[in-house]
């Protein structure tokens, strides 16, 4: 699939500031360096069963909390320094995450197989198999220092 | 204007007096004092932009705007483009919050203007036909004929002429509101939001004018719970007849067509069908008209080639409709000044001359609706003969679909440009092998926007291919919809007023809005079904009303076949088109007026406060797409009705979300401020998927005034849907259980156990008469 750094839905970007691409290795190092990371995990995609094993705080959306409520809570509490997203409907997250981009200092990282321009850091567009391997590796490296 | 006052003492050289009372009236312009003193006048008749600002600010304090900027920049003036990201300001000084709220206001103004323009056109047509003194009579069952107009304007409209005054006010307000968005005007995001709420209220008012006018002028059902069932769906049209397709929202041209057909006994020759709200309103006028479906099906239906003549009026019509119609060999008639499509205005010609001209040019603009009936009908007769052998050839055959799919290069860009990220490429891969299973799934969900086609490097006609697959494999696309009944009867409100306010009827769910559904129409029907079975009152309008009808059970029955059209527990009430949304807020207002005896006249704030705290209603706009939907939802919000929108609606950029903690209300009986749980928790919020939407509905129906039995029932449904769809207890349940009396008997043990884990403590005080006005 072409265009690893074009937003997965090409119109999802918000014009000026687009996410920096990160590799699995950098993502792992970001999570390890973070004092209070949190994972907001949706219900779509194939890496979820692995991400459930990730040893960090999690919110399952929408079961535990609506995505916007979760973003608002994290943004207001200022407790977390890194918020990671995965498994959320692409266009829905692409729009919701702009709130963090404009109104919060928290670092946002998306680890789906689709490039999310409105996060601060994002995985690039990837084939599903390649992405699954990346997720497995990320979980292994974070959980086993 | 009326002036009254007591003067304690006048001392002047000519007159000395004590306890003098002076009463008189001053007449300004053409304003006429209502002859009947039906209610004492409240504080805000014909409110100006700032008159309800205090109320708006109370709402905005509890539900602060949550912004999701769709663009980092402002591009509205030549100072810019300005980068507003990450705290930067534009050259005019505007910041990102104010810019978002400004765009929201612009959207609401577009929506309000659209409904005001539509209503003005309908009203103008009817006044020309019947005169200004034509009475507004909605029958014996409806005394409170115009609850929104009574509350906002402070008048009881008695004639079509009275409705003109309401529109004069709307148009004035829209002009002021829109002017506030100019560079260098409003600078506060809260004030922009207050103005957006005002625009929403004006939109509601304008819709009420339009719908009341068309109900009385076109003799549509007047609150008839047994309005007829109308045929609906792509397969309900008799292709052997000449077919006229009306698309849009304005009933006037469609009604003229129906008149001409009846006057000339052409019912057996001509089929009239419609897409979007025009379809609903024409079927309210004449139950022979058929409804194809929501706006999402328009490209598919046009491409199917069934229509011989396409008549467009206004709103939500594809702007490339002319190009698409011409490809099928049909002809197009535009009938409204808002959509002229570059066509020559033929209104001055005679009907026969217009027919000749359109036969030559294949399209024309007719702004004289009296001519549309004959022209469209006679053209349909000619064109259907002309297209007799080509009509069925507009779509590729199934073999051709397979051959086209074989040209697919599997680049995957169709998936990426699809608004819903449907896996179109996999569909093509299957079709190459002659496997159409995924294609069938795509047909059920796709709303045919055509973005995949525009991106395809092989220019594959993906929408036409999908339409063919649907046409070939689905033979049962014939459904039913109950014709829009218009307003709710006063007696129905009397019957349900107390159960709604005390919570014994768990809520009113209003399924409204456009067809930008994330997974097809069926989800709307599933939401309706869930709450009909739970004995909520389900009301609906517009494209959502059609979507509800586009699902059948094993016995082939739609929800309209299965549930009564009365406004009662377990009733499925189709009010009509999107203009008819006014009857949904109207019903909430009527509860305040008829059940609680709250005066309406110029009394907006008190009525809205009552609805917010006591009427458990929630709007669901699952496919909200348009600016009209934005203004409708914002209008509902100002009345205190919360709204759930689908995931695409985050692109409206703004939601109103509380922080989920306790709210404060003033208890009018104890005269003190009391803390309550967050009910209703949000004023407008999105849900990611149908499951989440269903689980939000019972929660957003909770109100501060719920009695223990009523709250218990709402909690029962909240827990029950959560367990059904997520397999667990709601994670925030403790916020909504006030005392042990709120715990439903059937779930006592598990809820008590849950509450124990959460360290829940019962509330010491519950408000008896909660209000935000103090």
């Amino acid at each position: 699939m072409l265009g690893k750094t074009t937003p997965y839905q090409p119109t999802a970007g918000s014009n000026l500031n687009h996410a920096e691409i990160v590799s699995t290795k950098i993502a792992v190092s970001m999570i390890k360096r973070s004092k209070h990371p949190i994972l907001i995990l949706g219900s779509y995609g194939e890496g979820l069963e692995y991400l459930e094993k990730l040893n960090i705080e999690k919110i399952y959306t929408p079961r535990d909390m609506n995505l916007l409520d979760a973003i608002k809570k994290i943004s207001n509490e200022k407790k977390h320094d890194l918020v990671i997203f995965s498994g959320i409907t692409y266009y829905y997250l692409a729009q919701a995450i702009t709130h963090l981009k404009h109104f919060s200092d928290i670092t946002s990282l998306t680890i789906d197989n689709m490039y999310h321009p409105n996060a601060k850091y994002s995985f690039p567009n990837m084939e599903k198999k390649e992405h699954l391997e990346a997720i497995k590796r990320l979980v292994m490296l974070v959980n086993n220092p | 204007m009326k002036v009254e006052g007591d003067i304690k003492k006048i001392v002047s050289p000519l007159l000395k007096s004590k306890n003098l009372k002076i009463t008189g009236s001053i007449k300004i312009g053409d304003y006429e004092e209502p002859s009947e003193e039906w209610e004492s006048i409240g504080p805000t008749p014909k409110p100006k932009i700032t008159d309800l600002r205090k109320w708006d600010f109370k709402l905005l304090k509890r539900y602060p705007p949550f912004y999701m900027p769709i663009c980092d920049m402002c591009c509205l003036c030549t100072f810019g483009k300005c980068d507003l990201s990450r705290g930067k300001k534009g050259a005019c000084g505007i910041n990102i919050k104010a810019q978002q709220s400004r765009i929201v206001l612009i959207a609401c103004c577009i929506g309000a203007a659209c409904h005001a323009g539509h209503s003005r056109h309908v009203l103008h047509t009817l006044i020309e036909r019947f005169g200004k003194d034509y009475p507004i009579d909605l029958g014996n069952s409806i005394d409170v004929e115009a609850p929104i107009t009574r509350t906002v304007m402070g008048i009881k409209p008695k004639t079509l002429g009275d409705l003109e005054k309401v529109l004069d006010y709307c148009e004035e307000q829209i002009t002021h509101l829109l002017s506030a968005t100019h560079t260098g005007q409003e600078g506060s995001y809260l004030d922009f939001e207050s103005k957006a709420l005002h625009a929403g209220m004006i939109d509601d008012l304008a819709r009420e004018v339009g719908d009341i006018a068309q109900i009385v002028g076109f003799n549509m059902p007047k609150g008839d719970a047994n309005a007829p069932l109308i045929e609906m769906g792509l397969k309900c049209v008799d292709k052997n007849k000449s077919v006229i397709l009306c698309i849009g929202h304005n009933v006037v041209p469609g009604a003229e067509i129906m008149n001409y057909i009846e006057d000339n006994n052409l019912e057996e020759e001509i089929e009239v069908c419609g897409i979007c709200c025009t379809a609903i309103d024409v079927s309210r006028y004449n139950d022979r008209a058929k409804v194809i479906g929501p706006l999402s099906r328009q490209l598919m239906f046009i491409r199917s080639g069934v229509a011989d003549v396409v008549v467009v009026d206004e709103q939500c019509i594809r702007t490339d409709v002319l190009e698409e119609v011409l490809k099928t060999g049909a002809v197009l008639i535009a009938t409204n000044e808002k959509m002229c499509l570059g066509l020559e205005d033929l209104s001055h010609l005679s009907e026969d001359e217009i027919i000749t001209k359109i036969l030559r040019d294949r399209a024309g603009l007719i702004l004289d609706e009296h001519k549309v009936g004959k022209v469209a009908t006679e053209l349909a007769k000619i064109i259907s003969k002309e297209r007799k052998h080509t009509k069925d050839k507009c779509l590729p055959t199934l073999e051709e679909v397979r051959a086209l799919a074989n040209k697919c290069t599997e680049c995957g860009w169709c998936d990426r440009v699809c608004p819903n990220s449907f896996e179109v490429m996999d569909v093509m891969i299957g079709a190459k092998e002659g496997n159409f299973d995924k294609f069938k799934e795509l047909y059920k969900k796709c709303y045919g926007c055509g973005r995949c086609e525009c991106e395809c490097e092989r220019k594959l006609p993906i929408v036409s291919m999908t339409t063919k697959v649907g046409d070939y494999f689905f033979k049962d696309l014939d459904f039913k919809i109950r014709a829009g009944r218009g307003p709710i009867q006063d007696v129905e409100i009397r019957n349900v007023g107390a159960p709604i306010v005390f919570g014994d009827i768990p809520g009113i769910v209003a399924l409204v809005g456009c067809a930008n559904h994330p997974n097809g129409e069926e989800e709307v029907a599933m939401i309706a079904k869930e709450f009909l079975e739970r004995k909520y009152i389900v009301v609906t309008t517009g494209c959502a009303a059609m979507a509800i009808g586009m699902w059948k059970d094993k016995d082939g029955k739609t929800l309209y076949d299965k549930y009564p059209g009365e406004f009662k527990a377990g009733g499925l009430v189709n009010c009509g088109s999107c203009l008819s949304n006014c009857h949904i807020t109207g019903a909430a207002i009527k509860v305040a007026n008829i059940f609680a005896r709250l005066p309406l006249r110029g009394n907006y704030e008190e009525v809205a406060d009552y609805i917010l705290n006591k009427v458990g209603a929630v709007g669901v706009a699952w496919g909200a797409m348009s600016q009209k939907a934005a203004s409708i939802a914002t209008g509902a919000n100002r009345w205190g009705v919360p709204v759930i929108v689908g995931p695409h609606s985050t692109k409206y950029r703004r939601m109103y979300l509380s922080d989920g903690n306790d709210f404060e209300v003033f208890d009018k009986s104890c005269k003190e401020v009391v803390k309550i749980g967050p009910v209703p928790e949000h004023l407008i919020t999105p849900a990611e998927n149908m499951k989440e939407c269903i689980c939000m509905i019972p929660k957003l129906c909770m109100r501060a005034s719920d009695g223990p039995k009523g709250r218990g029932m709402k909690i029962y449904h909240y827990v029950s849907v959560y367990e059904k769809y997520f397999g667990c207890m709601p994670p925030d349940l403790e916020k909504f259980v006030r005392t042990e009396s709120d715990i439903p008997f059937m779930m006592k043990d598990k809820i008590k156990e849950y509450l124990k884990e959460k360290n829940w403590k019962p509330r010491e005080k519950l408000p008896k008469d909660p209000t935000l006005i103090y």
Side-chain angles (χ1 to χ4, degrees), chain B residues 503-522:
Chain B
D504 299 333
I505 289 178
I508 304 168
V509 185
L511 290 160
V512 301
C514 337
N516 191 12
H517 305 122
N519 276 304
E521 293 99 357
E522 196 171 303

Side-chain angles (χ1 to χ4, degrees), chain A residues 101-126:
Chain A
K101 176 178 176 174
H102 285 280
F103 306 113
S104 168
D105 295 330
I106 297 166
T107 302
S108 57
L109 165 67
T110 62
I111 53 170
D112 286 326
N113 66 330
M114 294 172 263
Y115 173 58
H116 263 288
N118 302 329
K120 190 147 190 186
Y121 299 97
S122 170
F123 273 5
N125 295 314
M126 282 188 252

Side-chain angles (χ1 to χ4, degrees), chain B residues 317-562:
Chain B
I317 304 157
R318 281 191 69 97
T319 48
D320 61 350
V321 64
L322 177 60
E323 180 190 331
E324 291 292 340
V325 168
L326 295 184
K327 278 188 212 165
T328 67
V331 297
L332 181 130
I333 301 170
T335 60
N336 195 291
E337 66 264 36
K338 279 155 249 164
M339 194 187 207
C340 299
L341 297 168
L343 298 169
E344 186 181 343
D345 186 357
L346 310 176
S347 315
H348 60 287
L349 301 177
S350 72
E351 285 141 323
D352 291 334
E353 285 169 331
I354 297 174
I355 291 169
T356 312
K357 186 93 171 85
I358 291 182
L359 281 172
R360 196 167 60 234
D361 298 346
R362 312 305 288 179
L365 173 66
I366 310 174
L367 297 174
D368 179 351
E369 70 272 2
H370 299 297
K371 294 176 181 171
V372 174
K374 181 177 176 183
V375 172
T377 312
E378 295 303 328
L379 271 172
K381 284 156 69 179
I382 300 167
I383 302 286
S384 68
K385 280 182 196 150
E386 192 184 294
R387 298 173 73 237
K388 199 173 178 183
H389 302 294
T390 55
K391 213 171 179 174
D392 288 336
K393 292 177 183 157
C394 292
L395 293 176
T397 63
L398 206 63
E399 266 314 300
E400 285 167 341
V401 170
R402 189 175 170 181
L404 285 164
N406 266 304
K407 292 183 185 171
C408 169
T409 59
E410 299 175 25
C411 70
W413 278 94
C414 45
D415 293 5
R416 291 182 61 172
V417 299
C418 173
N420 286 311
S421 299
F422 292 147
E423 294 181 334
V424 184
M425 186 179 78
D426 280 356
V427 167
M428 294 298 150
I429 292 170
K432 284 180 184 186
E433 306 297 321
N435 180 345
F436 292 98
D437 290 348
K438 287 187 176 169
F439 232 138
K440 287 190 268 180
E441 286 305 309
L442 179 68
Y443 174 78
K444 286 202 276 183
K445 297 188 296 187
C446 169
Y447 48 70
C449 69
R451 269 163 54 170
C452 48
E453 285 186 1
C454 293
E455 198 68 30
C456 180
E457 56 191 13
R458 291 296 171 93
K459 301 287 171 218
L460 297 181
I462 301 169
V463 176
S464 302
M465 293 160 76
T466 312
T467 310
K468 179 65 201 182
V469 169
D471 184 57
Y472 186 87
F473 288 103
F474 296 100
K475 302 295 180 197
D476 61 344
L477 299 175
D478 52 329
F479 306 103
K480 290 276 189 334
I481 179 174
R482 192 172 295 286
R485 56 168 278 181
I488 310 304
Q489 295 176 14
D490 297 4
V491 67
E492 291 174 294
I493 299 288
R494 260 178 223 116
N495 291 339
V496 298
I500 287 173
V501 171
F502 297 120
D504 299 333
I505 289 178
I508 304 168
V509 185
L511 290 160
V512 301
C514 337
N516 191 12
H517 305 122
N519 276 304
E521 293 99 357
E522 196 171 303
E523 286 188 342
V524 184
M526 291 301 100
I527 298 170
K529 183 171 168 281
E530 183 71 56
F531 290 96
L532 285 165
E533 285 169 357
R534 292 175 183 276
K535 297 280 180 193
Y536 283 64
I537 301 174
V538 176
V539 285
T540 185
T541 56
C543 285
M546 300 185 214
I548 287 174
M550 292 172 76
W551 173 86
K552 288 192 280 194
D553 67 7
K554 285 179 199 160
D555 304 323
K557 287 190 173 171
T558 67
L559 293 173
Y560 290 106
D561 291 306
K562 293 172 75 163

Side-chain angles (χ1 to χ4, degrees), chain B residues 76-115:
Chain B
L76 285 179
C77 80
T78 66
F79 269 155
K81 308 171 186 175
C82 292
D83 176 7
L84 307 180
S85 65
R86 295 169 182 153
K88 292 191 274 288
K89 287 184 193 172
C92 69
I94 201 161
N95 63 26
I96 191 86
K97 276 191 178 180
Q99 175 63 6
Q100 300 317 298
S101 50
R102 184 184 182 198
I103 298 288
V104 171
L105 172 57
I106 290 171
C108 290
C109 283
I110 294 172
C114 216
H115 284 131

Side-chain angles (χ1 to χ4, degrees), chain A residues 1-3 6-11 13-17 43-44 62-64 66 68-69 71-72 88-89 91-92 95-96 98-99 101-103 125 128, chain B residues 66-73 83 85-86 96-97 413 415-416 418-421 423 518 647-648 650 655 657-658 682 686 688-689 692 696 722 726 731:
Chain A
M1 199 183 292
L2 297 172
T6 306
Y8 178 77
Q9 284 189 355
T11 52
S14 60
N15 251 329
L16 289 175
N17 306 295
S43 47
Y44 302 103
R63 190 193 71 194
D64 294 351
N66 171 268
L68 267 49
D69 287 344
I71 288 176
K72 183 169 181 168
I88 298 161
T89 306
Y91 59 87
Y92 181 55
Q95 193 57 36
T98 62
H99 183 84
K101 176 178 176 174
H102 285 280
F103 306 113
N125 295 314
K128 282 180 185 169
Chain B
F66 178 97
Y67 293 114
M68 297 160 282
I70 209 163
C71 179
D72 295 335
M73 297 196 290
D83 176 7
S85 65
R86 295 169 182 153
I96 191 86
K97 276 191 178 180
W413 278 94
D415 293 5
R416 291 182 61 172
C418 173
N420 286 311
S421 299
E423 294 181 334
H648 280 295
T650 46
M655 297 290 144
L657 308 178
S658 82
H682 299 307
E688 184 181 5
N689 52 35
E692 188 184 12
M696 275 182 181
Y722 229 92
F726 288 122

